[in-house]
Amino acid sequence: MSAAHAAQRRTAIRTDSFSLASLRTAHSQPVAVTLSRAQMARVRRSAATVDRMIARGNAVYGVNTGFGLLAQTRIPAGQLAALQRNLVLSHSAGVGAYLSDAVVRLVLVLKIGSLAQGFSGIRPQTLLALTRLLETETYPCIPGKGSVGASGDLAPLAHLAAALLGVGQVRCAGRIMPATQGLRRIGLEPLQLAPKEGLALLNGTQVSTALALAGLFALQDVFGAALVTGALSVDALKGSDVPFDDRIHVLRRQPGQRRVARALQRLLAGSRIRASHLTCERVQDPYSLRCQPQVMGACLDLIESAGQTLAREANSVTDNPLVFAADGEVLSGGNFHAEPVAFAADQLALAAAEIGSLSERRTAILIDPKMSGLPAFLVAESGVNSGFMVPQVTAAALVAENKTLAAPASVDSIPTSAGQEDHVSMATHGARRLLEMAANAASVVAIELLAAAQGIEFHRPLTSSRPLETALRKLRRTVPRYDRDRFFAPDIAAAAALVSSGELRELVDL
């Protein structure tokens, strides 16, 4: 299949207004982007404004001056192209494992969207070279470490820009190759950067934002699955749905809490297990069952607040300086400072830690015969069989790890560039940890899913509600009931894949 034909088959997303849904698509699959005539006209006017400023001899930061502490050094006209190339090469100082193709694809989409707004002074051909990388799935190899989140994501974005120069490496269809070879493969020559272009490519919060968005999307799937497993645990433990009564939650005035309570009510509605103990003598359930709306609702509010921040950031122009073609001015500011992204990442980290913490506590109740009324460790003939004893230990270990990872990144700052950049956001590693935290939480919720399903099946022939029985069937497609001890790790992996797939999230009506 030709590259052009493949591009036609990809989902096309607009670059003039990103939604979280379109960004989720860009993260999950190859995409094409659309650039309007109006966008390209703004890009051309912006580049022409830079050319006029140079011709007049105006001092413009990063165009005909040095960078950072060297901002007062004027660069001769004959060295302006070398200035931009040297900037890219010297700033390509990242270390660590390469970012995934999914994250790099999202970085490309965000960078294209920012540059296409016409405030960055780049030429149309430079913007189109980025779209060519995206649409041919030619992803620059970007080391994940080396950014402090101001002035933007300099080191990682330098590696992206270096690929356009034919420097470094790219990944095509999972194969890493020299950037020069990758460019030839898609019909591009190495770029010769014009004034301002290196700075426009390097400056910006696109890497931090892409990493935070990837974490957001993963956490949304885990959150939805955790509501399903939480409802399953309530039914498996013959808990009450009275704590989810809307009359309670309307008094709290917290929107997420009320939505979660309603979602749990809908998940449990029609359960014959619940109907079997309506007149039982138990007065109250443990907090991890009863207070799900309060805890998970607070997590939902945090997740949605962070999502709104990241959606705004995705649609922002965050390089420096900015070119205002209509006014004929170039203004130097600080939109590259990623503090909003750092705060959003810290919010998501808190939510990830709490989702897992609550889920693990329900698993602990399920395996305890004194609390659950179920067989010890959820297995027949316990003693010769250890059942769910150590999976709960695994969940506890992951919860403890996430608590450590949840420490805020945004409160740290280390001055860089000889004190010129004296306060930084630490957004990049604050966002990068989110995928690990979401994966940890997914495994914790997966263990609860396995345990709660086991508990439900001990109540047969009674059945749970329609959505919860659907969740159970989805699990049993790949994981059989745990009748006796077997190699446990594949069960957890399969359940975690189900949690992360979003299939359980689709059962939740929020």
Side-chain angles (χ1 to χ4, degrees):
M1 182 187 300
S2 70
H5 183 59
Q8 290 174 358
R9 296 184 58 185
R10 296 189 187 98
T11 300
I13 60 174
R14 294 172 51 178
T15 55
D16 56 350
S17 180
F18 294 128
S19 66
L20 286 177
S22 67
L23 293 169
R24 180 183 265 269
T25 298
H27 177 255
S28 65
Q29 65 186 59
V31 293
V33 292
T34 59
L35 294 168
S36 68
R37 290 182 179 178
Q39 286 174 303
M40 297 306 288
R42 288 195 294 270
V43 168
R44 283 191 290 271
R45 287 195 294 270
S46 179
T49 299
V50 172
D51 290 341
R52 284 194 295 271
M53 303 271 306
I54 294 171
R56 289 199 295 262
N58 298 60
V60 181
Y61 172 75
V63 175
N64 53 12
T65 76
F67 304 99
L69 191 66
L70 304 175
Q72 305 307 316
T73 303
R74 287 292 294 268
I75 309 299
Q79 295 183 326
L80 296 185
L83 175 69
Q84 298 300 311
R85 181 178 176 85
N86 289 346
L87 174 70
V88 172
L89 299 180
S90 66
H91 284 48
S92 297
V95 299
Y98 293 145
L99 299 178
S100 69
D101 287 352
V103 169
V104 174
R105 180 168 57 243
L106 198 47
V107 172
L108 283 167
V109 167
L110 295 175
K111 178 56 82 173
I112 291 166
S114 178
L115 296 176
Q117 295 190 47
F119 294 95
S120 302
I122 67 160
R123 299 167 299 167
Q125 56 262 46
T126 302
L127 180 59
L128 293 174
L130 287 171
T131 67
R132 184 67 177 160
L133 292 180
L134 176 70
E135 293 174 358
T136 59
E137 301 175 49
T138 304
Y139 302 122
C141 293
I142 302 176
K145 300 181 180 182
S147 174
V148 295
S151 298
D153 296 312
L154 292 174
L157 286 173
H159 285 272
L160 182 149
L164 291 175
L165 307 184
V167 177
Q169 296 177 309
V170 297
R171 187 159 44 202
C172 304
R175 185 164 65 93
I176 293 176
M177 63 185 68
T180 50
Q181 181 182 341
L183 293 179
R184 280 198 306 271
R185 186 172 173 269
I186 60 174
L188 285 182
E189 293 292 327
L191 270 181
Q192 301 295 318
L193 294 175
K196 177 68 170 68
E197 288 191 325
L199 190 56
L201 291 168
L202 265 62
N203 233 210
T205 64
Q206 286 79 32
V207 172
S208 297
T209 305
L211 285 165
L213 284 167
L216 169 71
F217 301 146
L219 194 57
Q220 286 172 333
D221 291 333
V222 175
F223 176 86
L227 291 184
V228 172
T229 60
L232 275 169
S233 290
V234 169
D235 232 13
L237 292 163
K238 291 192 173 181
S240 174
D241 58 358
V242 171
F244 311 142
D245 190 303
D246 187 57
R247 290 172 293 180
I248 297 171
H249 303 286
V250 72
L251 298 179
R252 188 70 181 275
R253 306 183 191 280
Q254 297 290 352
Q257 176 178 323
R258 193 177 184 193
R259 288 166 63 194
V260 166
R262 287 174 168 176
L264 290 168
Q265 276 194 318
R266 285 189 280 264
L267 285 168
L268 287 160
S271 168
R272 294 188 178 182
I273 297 174
R274 172 61 180 133
S276 73
H277 61 93
L278 284 172
T279 59
C280 72
E281 296 181 357
R282 187 189 304 173
V283 178
Q284 290 185 329
D285 294 323
Y287 288 178
S288 60
L289 302 177
R290 182 171 22 128
C291 296
Q292 289 184 77
Q294 288 79 8
V295 177
M296 295 295 281
C299 290
L300 176 60
D301 288 339
L302 277 185
I303 291 168
E304 293 194 340
S305 173
Q308 291 166 6
T309 296
L310 295 175
R312 289 192 295 269
E313 192 73 8
N315 286 287
S316 297
V317 180
T318 56
D319 59 293
N320 183 65
L322 297 174
V323 180
F324 294 88
D327 306 314
E329 291 188 78
V330 179
L331 304 181
S332 187
N335 279 2
F336 50 71
H337 200 296
E339 196 82 349
V341 180
F343 282 173
D346 282 346
Q347 287 181 303
L348 292 171
L350 292 173
E354 285 297 271
I355 291 166
S357 180
L358 200 66
S359 173
E360 182 277 330
R361 286 294 80 204
R362 293 191 295 264
T363 298
I365 296 171
L366 283 163
I367 67 171
D368 183 347
K370 301 186 297 297
M371 295 284 288
S372 69
L374 297 167
F377 302 108
L378 298 171
V379 68
E381 299 182 28
S382 54
V384 66
N385 292 302
S386 294
F388 281 70
M389 182 187 296
V390 174
Q392 185 267 329
V393 175
T394 297
L398 294 171
V399 167
E401 185 174 322
N402 269 4
K403 289 177 183 177
T404 301
L405 290 171
S410 59
V411 297
D412 190 18
S413 180
I414 299 176
T416 61
S417 193
Q420 176 74 10
E421 297 157 7
D422 60 347
H423 183 278
V424 298
S425 72
M426 300 300 181
T428 320
H429 72 260
R432 193 180 65 245
R433 68 183 156 161
L434 294 176
L435 284 173
E436 181 180 3
M437 293 187 72
N440 287 344
S443 292
V444 173
V445 172
I447 290 167
E448 183 191 6
L449 174 61
L450 294 167
Q454 195 82 352
I456 292 287
E457 289 171 336
F458 278 120
H459 296 308
R460 297 296 191 224
L462 294 176
T463 56
S464 187
S465 67
R466 182 175 296 177
L468 296 183
E469 290 290 342
T470 298
L472 188 53
R473 284 194 299 274
K474 288 178 180 291
L475 175 67
R476 292 295 179 235
R477 287 192 309 229
T478 54
V479 182
R481 177 172 168 77
Y482 197 90
D483 293 322
R484 61 182 61 83
D485 281 350
R486 62 174 182 258
F487 190 47
F488 217 126
D491 290 8
I492 298 172
L498 177 59
V499 167
S500 299
S501 72
E503 285 189 55
L504 297 183
R505 177 175 174 240
E506 293 170 0
L507 299 175
V508 179
D509 182 8
L510 281 171

